[in-house]
Amino acid sequence: MTESSNGPGWKWVTLMAWRDSRRSRVKMVLFVLSIVFGLAALVAIRGFRTNVEDAIQSQSKELLGADVEFNSRSPYSAEIESYIDGLGGERTDEIRLATMGLFESNGGSRLVSMRAFEDSFPYYGVPETRPEVSMEQFHAERYVLLEESLYHQFEVSVGDQVKLGQIYFEVLGIMDRIPGESKLTGWVAPRVYISKNHLESTGLMQFGSRVSYRSYLKLENSDTIDEQLENERRFFRENRVGVDTVEEEQRELINSFQQVTDLLNLIGFMALILGGVGVTSAVHVYLSGKMDTIAILRCLGTKSSLGISIFLVQVSGLGLIASFVGSLFGTAIQFFIPVFVADYLPFELEARFSILDFGIGLFFGWLVCFLFTLLPLVPLRKISPLRVLRTGVENPGAMKKDPWVYLIVATLAVALFGFGFAQTDNLNVNLGFSGGLLVVLGLLSLIAWLFLKGIKKLVPKGLPFAWRYGIANLYRPNNRSVLMLVALGLGFIIVLSLFLTKEAILKQIIVDRGGNSSNMILFDIQPHQLAYVEAVLEDNSLPIVEAAPLINMRISELNSRPVREFMRRGSEREGGGRDRDQRDEDEGPEGWALRREYRSTYRDHLTETETLIEGTFVGEASIEDEPIPVSIEEGLTEDLDVSLGDRLVFDIQGLALEVEIASIRKVDWNQVRANFFFVFPKGVLDDAPGIFMVATRTPDAETTGKVQAELMEVHPNVSSIDLRSILSTIDDILGKITWVVQFMALFTILAGLMVMAGTIITSRYQRIRESVLLRTLGAGSKTIKGILFIEFAAVGFLASLVGGFVSIAATWSLMRFLFKLPLVVAWDAVGIGMVTMMVLTTVTGLLNSRGITKQPPLEILRDEST
Amino acid sequence: MSILQVQNVYKTFTTESHEVPVLQDVNLSIEAESKCSILGPSGSGKTTLLGLCAGLDRSTSGSIYLNDHALHESSEDELAQIRNLEVGFVFQNFQLIPSLSALENVLVPLELRGESSKQARAKELLSRVGLGDRFDHFPVQLSGGEQQRVALARAFIHQPSILFADEPTGNLDGDTSGLVEELLFDLNKEAGTTLVLVTHNLDLARKTDHIYRIHQGAVEVLEKL
Ligand SMILES: Nc1ncnc2c1ncn2[C@@H]1O[C@H](COP(=O)(O)OP(=O)(O)OP(=O)(O)O)[C@@H](O)[C@H]1O
Ligand SMILES: [Mg+2]
């Protein structure tokens, strides 16, 4: 007898692991594939984020085009002018204003945002145009560069004429990117660029235009500029001047990208955890088939740790394969992302392969997969060798009481949390996400479980055999129906609830109430132009739903305290300005509500969109009756922290006017018409310098275009917006945003389908045995296929039921608490989604059960002993 | 010299509802290189006793010495080591590892000792049991009798000092049983191993040197049948 003290080592364990895997390698790889999609998503997002941050770092000055930028809604005060001059360096100015553009190409017109800049801008970087044009040429003649969307909308080509104000400009091309602008901001009014040399001749720089002023500075030494400006914050705030530096711009961009990628990360994590649970479940079933092997090995003299080691080696090998595939896949996706998002980015994005990121993905993926597989493996160390004598005796399945299991779950949590932290760099965000994730998964499991239980009770007794049998399969032990439902449901829910929310917002944010309600607004009408505008409408037999005078004013005192005093306090309190929640809890008015310019009107009645909720609406008053009784919008009372009887002093173009809040109105903002925060009584502001807006209703897009063109001819400063184009732009924007998220959610769906495939494959043997038995008992293969079909269709049905239910609930809470709108369900989308889900599920199920009916029964029956 | 000594062994199974006393004060001593069989009606505790003797389970009280190893005082890992060094098994339901080929199944006990270069011996043994052409076949590809012959080869490969067989032919038909029995006794004789055989088959029992019977939880010696 040879005594060997050390026994077999890792070499033997590895050999055994390899041998043991031989007959089921493909199957085993399938188990762990469900983790691939989540990992790929995370690796891709991580890579994307690195690339974006690199791009922002390396192109930082080109982002702004200068070292500092100042902006203001009104011309700078003398103090500001002298401050800017004091900074030294070079300076270039830009004017932005909203105006109508008339496109000769097809005669259409639309509100555009015009930017007139000087030839010295930008100091850093160059504008990118299509076709490439020289900026010298652009500034020399009356040329215009357009945002791409205008090209499509008005079928523009190079050389066409566009009328802006009183003069025509020749289209030089498309402005793809210009320093200082993000690509996403031009959607309300698409952008057009002209040289500032020709601004004067447009005649648009007159009273009533929405003009903003911008100055860009190139400094000799820009190192200390941030510090310098920081000390002057209150000075700028009081002068209502905005300041932006390269550093700030960079920080903001990174911040907003982090918010987007945080959300995407969350979805990636969901997919990963889902896949992980799928792996645990599949491996659990796989290993329970290996219990005899472990028992035999123990019987032959293997130490318990050694027996487990064999499968440990197997599952860690599998984890390596899965994480390799996932990281590779993620890296590949990362190279495609720039193709999709390049259009929205204010800088150039280049995907780069980072071996470090790949390595991190590989390690993390392996770790997570390994830990998830360890969960079902660890209890197997307790398998008694006695099993070989008496099968079925002593099942060590009890994962619940095993301290090792808790330890692994804890490690898993730490690993996930740690990686999440590395991805987001923000402890709170990460904590919130982790917590939210657990709550979501827990809740979803509970709902799935309830549905499963509920349906069981509802199944009628008299169903045909295949139906009863197929449905009963959902409830067999080890079938993991809840897991399948959660896995399949999660991705479905993300996609569907996003879509439903988008639809619900679209249907309500601006609603065409039909009848006499307006769907087009004409604004910036000078008092002397009003008659002409009304005449044009009459000629086209369009109604004047409302004609309202607008008077610009700012608040200067609130209950006898100067606004500056509030703002001083506010600036001390606000800090970085991002902790909105904290601010909300504080007493006192909000900064923006004090700072903003109010466009108020006066009239002697309430309109259809307004309801009086407190006080009395005063229709007429006289300038002598100070304080003037005014009506305030409900929401603003909170933001200004005022109530009935409170007093304010308005600065109306230099004139101080004291008012008292006499009534509070509720306003339906979701309509195309002029809505106001403050309504004055008639007889007070009638002589104040104001402009007018007119609301009308057009029957079709053609009439809208015709009216716009006619007005454009005579009074180019009069602008208009109409419901139809607003809706289409909002649809476009929301569509683009939701698309990115839905793309990520696709990974969750794929992970879900993989989990289902894994579950089906692991129960494949059981299904084969059953089908053989049924065939022995005389069932035809048609019946067996029928049973399988019913089972998977039932899973799909339940998953889509749970998914549909949760999606609607999620949409409801989003609408209720985030958007504060009632829920409108797009039932057609729900229906289509549910059917798609069912088909996908059934197909996945049937694909993974192929060949079940073809197994030779004899081999199965003889295999009884194992 | 006795290779296996069972002294005052009790075994009681405790279930949720009640206690099942199976073995009560079992005493047994088996001589090295002898052959013995254990009889008894179904449920009398034969398998239980075998499990205790082989170190697969622990007695409620009493002591068991296997080739001077005190099983009742050994840890799980020590028991595993003892099994690997001293014990061979043959089971009613064969218990081959389904994912390993016939040859690999036979090799496992040696590999557990860290002896991996004994392929020739394994092949020789397999040929000896008539499976010289089935080395690469997996258990599902073998008939019951063939599987049991692989199990026999596995039981002898590491030259154990004692072999436990729990109804080795219980799952086999008459002819196949005969072949397996013959092989079992032949291999046992060649290796000079102690054999402990549990069976219902009286003819088989008669071929052994001693016959024991489990009766009311205790072991009695049957001199003549
Ligand atoms: N884990 C257990 N829990 C409770 N009772 C058990 C357990 N294992 C065995 N028993 C009981 O112990 C008794 C003896 O069982 P054992 O398997 O040793 O009998 P056996 O003599 O081998 O029978 P057979 O000839 O049918 O194989 C039986 O009554 C059985 O029910
Ligand atoms: Mg028995």
Side-chain angles (χ1 to χ4, degrees), chain A residues 568-773:
Chain A
R568 206 159 299 151
R569 199 180 45 132
S571 67
E572 282 152 20
R573 209 152 28 98
E574 271 174 40
R578 282 193 70 196
D579 308 318
R580 245 178 181 280
D581 301 337
Q582 205 188 327
R583 236 191 316 154
D584 278 349
E585 286 164 21
D586 288 338
E587 298 278 299
E590 302 257 0
W592 69 265
L594 291 172
R595 271 198 297 276
R596 66 163 288 153
E597 185 171 56
Y598 289 93
R599 284 170 182 244
S600 306
T601 193
Y602 55 86
R603 52 174 138 80
D604 57 6
H605 60 275
L606 290 174
T607 63
E608 297 154 37
T609 55
E610 299 170 322
T611 339
L612 190 69
I613 52 176
E614 241 183 281
T616 33
F617 182 80
V618 181
E620 281 207 59
S622 141
I623 191 91
E624 274 91 54
D625 305 340
E626 262 186 279
I628 312 288
V630 297
S631 174
I632 188 173
E633 188 262 340
E634 184 191 12
L636 192 65
T637 57
E638 278 168 37
D639 292 334
L640 276 179
D641 195 27
V642 292
S643 53
L644 278 190
D646 278 340
R647 292 189 180 187
L648 301 132
V649 174
F650 277 112
D651 171 357
I652 305 171
Q653 273 131 62
L655 215 104
L657 185 67
E658 182 163 37
V659 304
E660 182 179 307
I661 294 168
S663 68
I664 300 176
R665 288 161 307 134
K666 192 183 179 68
V667 176
D668 175 6
W669 292 97
N670 309 323
Q671 286 193 47
V672 183
R673 70 179 300 152
N675 288 314
F676 300 95
F677 283 120
F678 291 101
V679 175
F680 282 66
K682 248 187 137 149
V684 180
L685 298 172
D686 301 36
D687 294 329
I691 49 168
F692 286 82
M693 57 76 53
V694 170
T696 183
R697 178 173 187 82
T698 66
D700 48 45
E702 224 166 70
T703 318
T704 308
K706 190 160 163 270
V707 170
Q708 281 172 333
E710 277 176 39
L711 287 171
M712 193 61 199
E713 246 348 277
V714 183
H715 296 306
N717 67 296
V718 174
S719 303
S720 64
I721 45 172
D722 69 293
L723 184 68
R724 273 177 278 270
S725 59
I726 293 175
L727 280 185
S728 79
T729 336
I730 295 177
D731 191 11
D732 203 41
I733 297 297
L734 287 182
K736 276 175 184 160
I737 295 171
T738 49
W739 188 85
V740 177
V741 182
Q742 281 171 336
F743 177 72
M744 290 313 300
L746 203 68
F747 284 82
T748 318
I749 293 191
L750 287 174
L753 289 175
M754 283 312 298
V755 170
M756 177 184 177
T759 315
I760 293 171
I761 289 170
T762 47
S763 58
R764 184 183 169 84
Y765 188 69
Q766 200 183 343
R767 278 167 216 277
I768 291 175
R769 296 270 296 255
E770 276 171 28
S771 85
V772 165
L773 216 66

Side-chain angles (χ1 to χ4, degrees), chain B residues 32-50:
Chain B
E33 299 187 20
S34 71
K35 293 191 287 263
C36 72
S37 47
I38 301 175
L39 295 176
S42 184
S44 55
K46 305 184 291 295
T47 301
T48 307
L49 179 61
L50 206 66

Side-chain angles (χ1 to χ4, degrees), chain A residues 1-2 4 8 12 19-20 22-23 293 296-303 385-386 388-389 862-863, chain B residues 56-57 76-77 80-81 83-85 89 91 95-97 99-100 104 108 111-113 115 140 154:
Chain A
M1 211 186 304
T2 44
S4 76
W12 179 76
R19 280 177 185 163
D20 181 82
R22 199 168 24 200
R23 307 207 77 207
T293 301
I296 297 167
L297 283 170
R298 290 209 58 193
C299 188
L300 296 176
T302 325
K303 289 180 191 165
L386 209 58
V388 294
L389 296 179
R862 190 176 48 197
D863 203 22
Chain B
L56 293 175
D57 201 1
E76 277 300 315
D77 281 343
Q81 177 96 2
R83 285 198 296 271
N84 185 235
L85 290 176
F89 285 101
F91 307 102
Q95 299 290 10
L96 297 180
I97 296 173
S99 56
L100 298 187
E104 287 161 357
V108 168
E111 286 172 338
L112 284 173
R113 289 183 180 179
E115 301 170 22
V140 275
R154 183 177 71 183

Side-chain angles (χ1 to χ4, degrees), chain A residues 48-228:
Chain A
F48 173 58
R49 199 159 167 145
T50 315
N51 291 332
V52 164
E53 288 180 4
D54 282 356
I56 292 176
Q57 296 296 350
S58 67
Q59 301 167 39
S60 58
K61 292 208 165 180
E62 287 88 336
L63 290 176
L64 195 60
D67 292 316
V68 198
E69 177 234 283
F70 295 90
N71 59 69
S72 168
R73 292 275 176 146
S74 48
Y76 303 131
S77 64
E79 281 169 297
I80 292 286
E81 281 289 355
S82 73
Y83 179 84
I84 295 176
D85 285 346
L87 289 173
E90 292 172 47
R91 166 175 168 178
T92 178
D93 290 330
E94 183 185 304
I95 300 288
R96 296 184 173 185
L97 57 86
T99 181
M100 291 302 280
L102 175 68
F103 296 80
E104 293 279 281
S105 48
N106 69 356
S109 45
R110 139 156 230 183
L111 186 70
V112 294
S113 168
M114 190 176 85
R115 277 106 206 264
F117 61 95
E118 296 175 328
D119 53 4
S120 40
F121 181 81
Y123 292 121
Y124 306 106
V126 277
E128 271 174 44
T129 62
R130 241 182 314 161
E132 236 173 84
V133 296
S134 87
M135 282 294 118
E136 268 165 46
Q137 186 193 355
F138 172 73
H139 287 285
E141 298 289 332
R142 285 178 182 172
Y143 285 124
V144 62
L145 284 160
L146 307 177
E147 186 179 313
E148 190 171 5
S149 68
L150 291 171
Y151 250 67
H152 301 314
Q153 192 183 347
F154 298 106
E155 295 151 22
V156 180
S157 44
V158 173
D160 284 350
Q161 298 286 317
V162 175
K163 190 180 183 199
L164 296 165
Q166 281 153 359
I167 56 171
Y168 284 89
F169 288 81
E170 186 182 325
V171 174
L172 203 52
I174 296 172
M175 179 69 88
D176 270 328
R177 186 177 291 146
I178 183 165
E181 293 214 70
S182 122
K183 279 213 145 191
L184 269 177
T185 56
W187 51 278
V188 177
R191 292 171 294 206
V192 303
Y193 299 86
I194 61 165
S195 170
K196 199 166 168 247
N197 302 338
H198 311 295
L199 176 64
E200 204 57 43
S201 35
T202 60
L204 290 170
M205 290 291 289
Q206 51 178 308
F207 165 70
S209 302
R210 292 137 196 273
V211 180
S212 74
Y213 302 80
R214 249 154 228 265
S215 304
Y216 298 90
L217 263 64
K218 182 186 178 185
L219 302 172
E220 255 132 55
N221 177 8
S222 61
D223 297 347
T224 57
I225 187 68
D226 282 276
E227 253 173 79
Q228 231 172 309

